Amino acid sequence: MSRLPLAALAAVTASLLTACGPDYSGTQFNPRSTAPVPVSLEPNRITLPVGIAVTARVEPQSSNSHPYDEYYQLRLTSQDPNIADVLRGPLEREFVFIGVNEGSTCVDVVMNDEFYECIEIIVEPPAS
Amino acid sequence: MLSCTGSFYDPPYDESEGELGNGDFRYRCLSSGKTDAACLFSEGAVFPGAVAIGAPFEMDYSKDPESEVDSPATLAVQPAAERMISRTAGVFTPHEAGYAALLALSSSSDVVDVIHLRIAPIARVAFWNESRLEVTKLSVSAGWTTQVAAVPFDTTDELLSGSLPFAWTIEDEAIAVIETEPSANLIELRGVAGGVTTLTADIDGVQASIEITVLGGAATTSSASDTDSDSGTTTDGDTDATTGDTDMTSGTSSDTDMTSGTTDDTDATTGTTGPLLEPLDLDPEDGQGGQP
């Protein structure tokens, strides 16, 4: 008899907590350096040539009024570092995207060990 | 430009600020620096605008003390893509035309700074005199020596740095001989006997040749010749290969040892330097032509 109200209370609490947290809607890249050749950092696709390293501050976007603050530990990982690599930059939430070999792969966006999305990264031939 | 660390020799370098503004990347020619155009005729180095495919160099990184990044003062530099530039025992070797990022990494492999180098194939080879000016012909008196360097350029005529083992040949060794190591881009040439011959520098099949005029008779023969014959600008005076009575630039006539500036007579067979360079676009008033 008493279990039903407890379960309901837990469900309501969980939904309230979720509602109070950020709601992931994508990632924004703010370049920190200018590459010597054109590169593209779009929320859903990164394009750069072999040999180029571009540094950007990465901001997870929330669709509600709760931002992804410093509590959320952001990690970006390339699914194929032989095509494109991602290294941590000098400051928090700064990352360096590197074109290693031609091809395409995906960069996993992970916060607090939770997977959010995979951003396509395309590596083009060396630009001269 | 020159720097020493403790009791260890610190090769000369030139630096360029990293793209993230946290410090400076320092370009160094290999210890045999005379094979790198970035260090030619200089006690320092010139940070390159581009490097040649296959031409090794060294690079390290010095963090700006005022940078907010927490890392040691000096960091290792790694290539971002080994396909473009590889690193072995601290020496970087470019492999493919394009741009290649070099990364200054902290001990935890975080990127502290980045720099991009342009890599290009050699399109042409030119010759430099000791003022780093391009020359298309060269004169030297019999018995005297002069230095000449081979330097590579790309298709946009940008100088390419990195150490390159040029191969040198001289058409007629009865007229002039190469006196230095055969695998360098800076050589010393000695006039043997009066005449004209051709000096050729080759790097991976890209060749350039320069006309060498040796003034005077055989090195051991006393003779005099007017050195104004070609440019009429960089030399003024008579050259006696045996006595060394030469004034290349001032137009005065005096017994001059071109190396030391002393006024001793010079025996042409002893190897005292006394080149007669004929550079392009030289202002005869600047005193650069013909200086050893």
Side-chain angles (χ1 to χ4, degrees), chain B residues 108 173 184 271 273:
Chain B
S108 56
E173 292 194 332
T273 303

Side-chain angles (χ1 to χ4, degrees), chain A residues 36 51 53 88-90 98 101-102 126-127, chain B residues 80 83 96 98-101 110-111 116:
Chain A
R88 284 194 310 244
I98 299 164
N101 283 298
E102 290 105 326
Chain B
R83 166 178 158 179
E96 195 171 338
Y99 285 89
D110 292 347
V111 177
H116 287 86

Side-chain angles (χ1 to χ4, degrees), chain B residues 84-288:
Chain B
M84 301 300 292
I85 290 185
S86 62
R87 179 178 184 268
T88 304
V91 174
F92 295 84
T93 304
H95 298 294
E96 195 171 338
Y99 285 89
L102 297 176
L103 312 173
L105 298 177
S106 70
S107 54
S108 56
S109 293
D110 292 347
V111 177
V112 173
D113 220 329
V114 179
I115 199 166
H116 287 86
L117 288 181
R118 194 167 71 80
I119 305 169
I122 298 169
R124 74 175 182 98
V125 172
F127 297 96
W128 272 3
N129 66 13
E130 295 165 45
S131 300
R132 297 172 68 95
L133 294 171
E134 192 169 332
V135 290
T136 57
K137 53 188 175 179
L138 188 63
S139 298
V140 63
S141 297
W144 293 67
T145 61
T146 187
Q147 288 187 321
V148 61
V151 286
F153 291 86
D154 69 1
T155 52
T156 67
D157 232 20
E158 180 160 17
L159 176 68
L160 298 176
S161 295
S163 290
L164 289 166
F166 280 86
W168 295 82
T169 52
I170 192 142
E171 188 179 56
D172 189 348
E173 292 194 332
I175 295 175
V177 292
I178 299 166
E179 292 212 316
T180 43
E181 55 187 301
S183 177
N185 63 346
L186 174 65
I187 62 159
E188 192 163 86
L189 190 71
R190 173 182 291 277
V192 176
V196 177
T197 187
T198 301
L199 176 68
T200 300
D202 180 298
I203 181 72
D204 294 333
V206 181
Q207 288 188 344
S209 296
I210 185 171
E211 183 183 285
I212 305 294
T213 301
V214 177
L215 304 166
T220 53
T221 305
S222 177
S223 65
S225 61
D226 187 345
T227 58
D228 274 344
S229 56
D230 284 319
S231 68
T233 57
T234 60
T235 61
D236 184 10
D238 288 339
T239 300
D240 185 319
T242 303
T243 65
D245 291 352
T246 307
D247 189 314
M248 312 274 198
T249 55
S250 67
T252 60
S253 180
S254 60
D255 292 348
T256 304
D257 178 333
M258 298 305 291
T259 305
S260 65
T262 61
T263 55
D264 296 332
D265 281 351
T266 303
D267 182 348
T269 60
T270 61
T272 305
T273 303
L276 300 175
L277 297 178
E278 294 171 358
L280 288 177
D281 303 320
L282 269 184
D283 179 355
E285 300 304 316
D286 67 10
Q288 292 179 321

